[in-house]
Amino acid sequence: MKKFSKILPLAIMVLLLGGCGKTTVEMTTIAIQKDGTIRHTMVEDFGEESVEALEKLMSEKAADYNNNNSAGAGGVTVDEVEAGDGVIRVVMTYPDAAAFDGFMNMDVVAVDPALRAPFFYGTVEDAYEQGYDLEIEMHSSEDDSALQGKGDLLAMGKNRIIIYDSEMNLGAPVQISTQDELLYISDNVAVAGKNVVEIAETDELAYILLNG
């Protein structure tokens, strides 16, 4: 079904589902902070995995990533692991979007780089330089206006944009929150609150253009 399903026996990406906030969060959520750090909470049924075993596993993975990417003390951290209401919630912090993308894709890339499910947060110009497809249509989060293709997007090249592949979350719904105002979103994105969007399973990359 999903390309990740080919390697789930070989990797634990099923454990790595994004989020934000404290353990009251009920849906997997990726929260982009004002300083660019990313905070996420895994909200999942981890089966027979104990809190202690899961915390040890995630801490080891964070240390492995940090050591291999020279992140040191400022790298990926495991902030909280807690069970309740039939699920385990794991809160983690990443120093930036690149670390989030790298950590979340660490296991699958080791198997096959083509399986990477990207996450990007930066300017439109940077997204273009990194090869992301900007030949897309986006509609306003508030009115009937729209952006038609790469030209319109590049005209807003200094604005920040979020690009997300739902396969990173194995197709499960996820919310993404930001400190910046939402401007335009792709058709596979829904506004879920002030500066918050929700994305369900989609075969296409999700795009969120910000006023910042």
Side-chain angles (χ1 to χ4, degrees):
M1 183 175 69
K2 305 295 287 183
K3 62 186 178 184
F4 277 167
S5 65
K6 300 176 182 178
I7 62 165
L8 284 179
L10 304 177
I12 59 170
M13 280 300 294
V14 70
L15 301 179
L16 302 180
L17 305 175
C20 74
K22 305 300 286 184
T23 55
T24 54
V25 173
E26 296 181 357
M27 177 184 289
T28 296
T29 310
I30 301 164
I32 303 174
Q33 309 298 316
K34 197 66 176 178
D35 62 358
T37 60
I38 293 179
R39 196 168 158 81
H40 74 113
T41 303
M42 308 174 218
V43 184
E44 287 296 311
D45 177 2
F46 289 92
E48 299 300 319
E49 196 77 53
S50 70
V51 170
E52 292 77 14
L54 185 59
E55 183 171 15
K56 182 175 184 292
L57 174 65
M58 299 308 294
S59 295
E60 289 174 350
K61 285 184 63 61
D64 183 45
Y65 178 84
N66 291 339
N67 289 336
N68 289 330
N69 291 275
S70 302
V76 176
T77 61
V78 181
D79 302 327
E80 185 177 358
V81 180
E82 184 174 301
D85 301 324
V87 298
I88 297 179
R89 297 175 176 86
V90 182
V91 182
M92 299 184 67
T93 299
Y94 304 79
D96 52 36
F100 179 66
D101 178 285
F103 182 83
M104 295 290 281
N105 284 292
M106 182 168 56
D107 292 314
V108 294
V109 168
V111 176
D112 184 352
L115 296 172
R116 175 176 168 263
F119 180 91
F120 175 85
Y121 169 70
T123 67
V124 172
E125 291 177 347
D126 287 342
Y128 178 69
E129 290 177 359
Q130 292 185 30
Y132 284 98
D133 181 14
L134 300 183
E135 199 60 68
I136 60 167
E137 294 185 6
M138 302 180 72
H139 61 273
S140 170
S141 61
E142 294 186 349
D143 55 41
D144 294 331
S145 62
L147 299 179
Q148 304 288 341
K150 181 174 66 177
D152 284 355
L153 265 177
L154 287 177
M156 305 182 72
K158 300 300 183 183
N159 286 66
R160 290 187 176 88
I161 192 169
I162 300 167
I163 304 175
Y164 170 77
D165 188 335
S166 71
E167 291 194 8
M168 179 178 279
N169 197 44
L170 302 180
V174 62
Q175 287 190 347
I176 299 178
S177 67
T178 173
Q179 300 297 310
D180 295 316
E181 178 187 2
L182 305 175
L183 288 183
Y184 293 89
I185 55 179
S186 52
D187 289 340
N188 50 6
V189 177
V191 176
K194 183 179 180 181
N195 303 336
V196 179
V197 298
E198 185 170 328
I199 304 166
E201 184 174 5
T202 173
D203 292 332
E204 305 293 335
L205 292 177
Y207 294 77
I208 303 101
L209 184 66
L210 307 172
N211 185 23

